Amino acid sequence: MKYYADIPQRIEIIRRQCAALNDEIDPMRGMGADGMPHGGSHGDSTAMMACKMEELGIGERLRQLEQQRAVLLGDQRIIQGQMNRLDSGHNMILTEFYISHKKWHEVKQKVPYSVQHLKYLRNVALAQLGSGLERLPECGALLSRALNVREERCRADAWAEGDIIL
């Protein structure tokens, strides 16, 4: 669920990386278009952009980022599809706790059970979600990506706390 909750942020990071790469190769960015007849344009800007992209390896990096984005969107659809199979109470608990990052007392306002019972229902919902995901042919790859993200997050947290020295 934490991987699923993190997907929109990861997609936004990819969007920003693509925008930065596009800014790097766009020869018109930052040039003033003052309408002067002999402006500062240097020939065919499309050809120049293509050459610069190839020279800097930006085209390949953009393709990799788009592939990562497509995988994330696919994972998001798969997990959302399995969440939609849960009953509404279980779905609400998982959504409020993991996606909306609500505290248990806040989840309790939407699903009126004791906090102890909400935690029990969360565990039931996670077991049902996991069971549904395990039946899918793409389960192994999805699990691998989720575990890789989790390991990256643990390393980043340890680095931020000063436990890892590079």
Side-chain angles (χ1 to χ4, degrees):
M1 282 304 299
K2 289 181 180 180
Y3 171 64
Y4 175 72
D6 196 39
I7 288 175
Q9 182 178 1
R10 289 181 165 281
I11 290 172
E12 176 60 19
I13 289 168
I14 288 171
R15 187 196 65 73
R16 288 181 186 168
Q17 289 174 339
C18 288
L21 289 170
N22 283 324
D23 286 350
E24 192 173 324
I25 58 165
D26 189 353
M28 297 303 286
R29 186 160 313 270
M31 289 179 66
D34 59 3
M36 296 299 288
H38 300 288
S41 181
H42 302 292
D44 184 6
S45 64
T46 305
M48 191 166 52
M49 280 177 58
C51 289
K52 192 169 184 179
M53 281 178 66
E54 190 64 36
E55 177 184 316
L56 298 174
I58 292 174
E60 178 61 27
R61 182 66 184 135
L62 285 170
R63 283 187 289 281
Q64 290 171 350
L65 289 169
E66 182 52 40
Q67 183 180 12
Q68 289 174 9
R69 182 181 165 279
V71 168
L72 288 168
L73 288 171
D75 288 352
Q76 187 177 43
R77 278 190 297 276
I78 290 168
I79 297 168
Q80 184 61 54
Q82 291 304 307
M83 283 189 62
N84 290 341
R85 292 175 168 263
L86 300 174
D87 71 50
S88 61
H90 289 143
N91 192 326
M92 177 71 73
I93 291 166
L94 293 181
T95 300
E96 292 296 306
F97 187 73
Y98 289 103
I99 310 304
S100 300
H101 306 288
K102 301 264 175 89
K103 304 289 184 205
W104 285 115
H105 69 275
E106 295 170 309
V107 176
K108 185 177 175 179
Q109 294 172 355
K110 296 245 181 175
V111 185
Y113 292 111
S114 70
V115 170
Q116 182 179 4
H117 193 67
L118 286 172
K119 290 178 180 181
Y120 168 77
L121 291 174
R122 178 213 35 206
N123 292 341
V124 170
L126 288 172
Q128 290 176 357
L129 179 63
S131 178
L133 288 170
E134 284 176 349
R135 286 188 231 118
L136 299 175
E138 52 273 280
C139 177
L142 177 65
L143 180 59
S144 176
R145 287 188 293 275
L147 289 173
N148 286 339
V149 167
R150 184 172 154 191
E151 288 173 7
E152 287 173 16
R153 185 178 293 126
C154 288
R155 281 194 302 271
D157 290 346
W159 183 80
E161 292 173 9
D163 294 341
I164 295 177
I165 299 174
L166 298 176

